[in-house]
Amino acid sequence: DVSLCLSKIGELALAETNLPAARLALEEHFGIAERIATADPSNCEYQRDLAGAYDRLQPLEVESGNLREAIKHAEKAHAILEKLVAIDPTNVSWVQDLAGSDCVFAMLLGRGGDMKRAVDMLKNSLRILNQLARQGKLDAKGKRLLVQLNQQLG
């Protein structure tokens, strides 16, 4: 799939700090995801892909010195994931994606000076992950995130 390839190319370029190449690939990836999600707004997987595309733009904006843009992308991704979880709160992947989104969003908010909101989001993420852990539904990525959150929040 072309969109996935663009995403990977953008991530690799970003890792190499080739910001122009990263921007080109990630913005094209985003454009594809946005067009598909807009064409079929009731398709939850397309909406999840769009949230992922917003997520991939965040580190690019941070590296480019555009914290406000990174926060805007985080807000949009987070809003999409909240809607998906509201549609199906039993979808563990979506719930875990939302918890991860809370963490990334909180980091950006903290960098922007909004510490109260950042801490609230981290606590929400911790609550979600603990609930999944108690249910035995947390995957390896979620378990790592839970350990990191417990270390950060004490």
Side-chain angles (χ1 to χ4, degrees), residues 43 110 134-135:
N43 186 309
R134 282 191 299 276
Q135 296 169 352

Side-chain angles (χ1 to χ4, degrees), residues 1-15 19 21-34 45-64 69-70 72-78 81 97 101 104 108 141:
D1 159 279
V2 172
S3 181
L4 182 60
C5 289
L6 287 166
S7 170
K8 296 300 178 193
I9 290 167
E11 290 172 355
L12 287 171
L14 187 58
L19 298 182
R23 182 167 302 283
L24 183 67
L26 291 173
E27 285 181 353
E28 193 168 340
H29 163 70
F30 172 80
I32 293 169
E34 185 176 44
E45 284 307 311
Y46 294 165
Q47 299 307 311
R48 184 180 184 200
D49 290 346
L50 180 58
Y54 276 116
D55 281 340
R56 286 176 192 87
L57 289 172
Q58 294 165 29
L60 172 65
E61 296 300 351
V62 169
E63 285 295 316
S64 299
E69 283 301 309
K72 286 179 189 177
H73 293 315
E75 285 175 324
K76 289 177 181 176
H78 193 262
L81 292 170
D97 286 349
S101 175
V104 173
L108 294 171
K141 181 180 173 185

Side-chain angles (χ1 to χ4, degrees), residues 100-114:
S101 175
D102 280 346
C103 290
V104 173
F105 197 1
M107 178 209 58
L108 294 171
L109 290 169
R111 288 177 96 173
D114 191 348

